[in-house]
Amino acid sequence: MARSRELKFRAVTSLQRHVVNPLARRSKSQILLETTGRTSGLPRRTPVGGRRVGQEFWLVSEYGDKSQYIRNIRADPRVRVRIEGRWYDGVAHPLPEDDARARLRTLPRYNSSVVRAVGTNLLSVRVDLAG
């Protein structure tokens, strides 16, 4: 079981890293999460699905602490989120105590179904947006 989860993780992340994410980053309508690389210090932009609720933005990471952007957030929680073409500064909070499956039911359906299908370690993240 652990071996099949690891193979799934490697296959999906490779596809995302080399095909899906580069294409998605070009789309003006795609939500992007910008973190600071924990080693390089450079901006790292990751396409994500989620929803803004007031001054918060919610998303669910399909791989939890194995996700590079979650590792970057743990090193520096200051992020930017591009929503509908506009960038917002914020502070990200991984919330392992939040019910990630329940959270997915409140987020956009298509992305949530993909996260449920490929995810192996779901983790809710709340970004407190500034201004």
Side-chain angles (χ1 to χ4, degrees):
M1 183 70 161
R3 180 169 158 73
S4 92
R5 287 175 64 149
E6 184 62 25
L7 288 173
K8 180 179 179 181
F9 169 77
R10 286 184 182 188
V12 171
T13 56
S14 181
L15 179 66
Q16 287 173 330
R17 184 174 297 126
H18 300 292
V19 179
V20 176
N21 289 357
L23 293 173
R25 277 196 283 279
R26 293 182 182 163
S27 170
K28 297 289 182 193
S29 63
Q30 175 65 53
I31 297 170
L32 294 178
L33 175 68
E34 184 180 87
T35 60
T36 301
R38 63 194 175 281
T39 303
S40 69
L42 297 173
R44 301 296 183 201
R45 292 183 177 174
T46 305
V48 297
R51 174 167 283 141
R52 183 177 181 170
V53 179
Q55 287 303 106
E56 299 173 341
F57 179 79
W58 286 88
L59 67 113
V60 174
S61 167
E62 60 263 54
Y63 298 115
D65 287 320
K66 286 183 85 172
S67 295
Q68 297 300 318
Y69 69 90
I70 295 296
R71 291 177 178 186
N72 290 342
I73 287 169
R74 295 238 189 249
D76 182 354
R78 293 170 300 168
V79 300
R80 293 192 326 145
V81 183
R82 187 183 76 182
I83 306 168
E84 296 179 0
R86 181 171 172 218
W87 286 99
Y88 298 87
D89 292 326
V91 178
H93 305 277
L95 300 170
E97 67 279 1
D98 191 63
D99 183 344
R101 290 203 176 274
R103 179 69 56 197
L104 283 172
R105 290 192 289 275
T106 71
L107 301 178
R109 185 174 298 161
Y110 175 74
N111 183 76
S112 293
S113 63
V114 171
V115 169
R116 268 192 296 280
V118 302
T120 58
N121 188 24
L122 303 181
L123 176 64
S124 298
V125 177
R126 184 190 78 232
V127 178
D128 297 329
L129 302 172

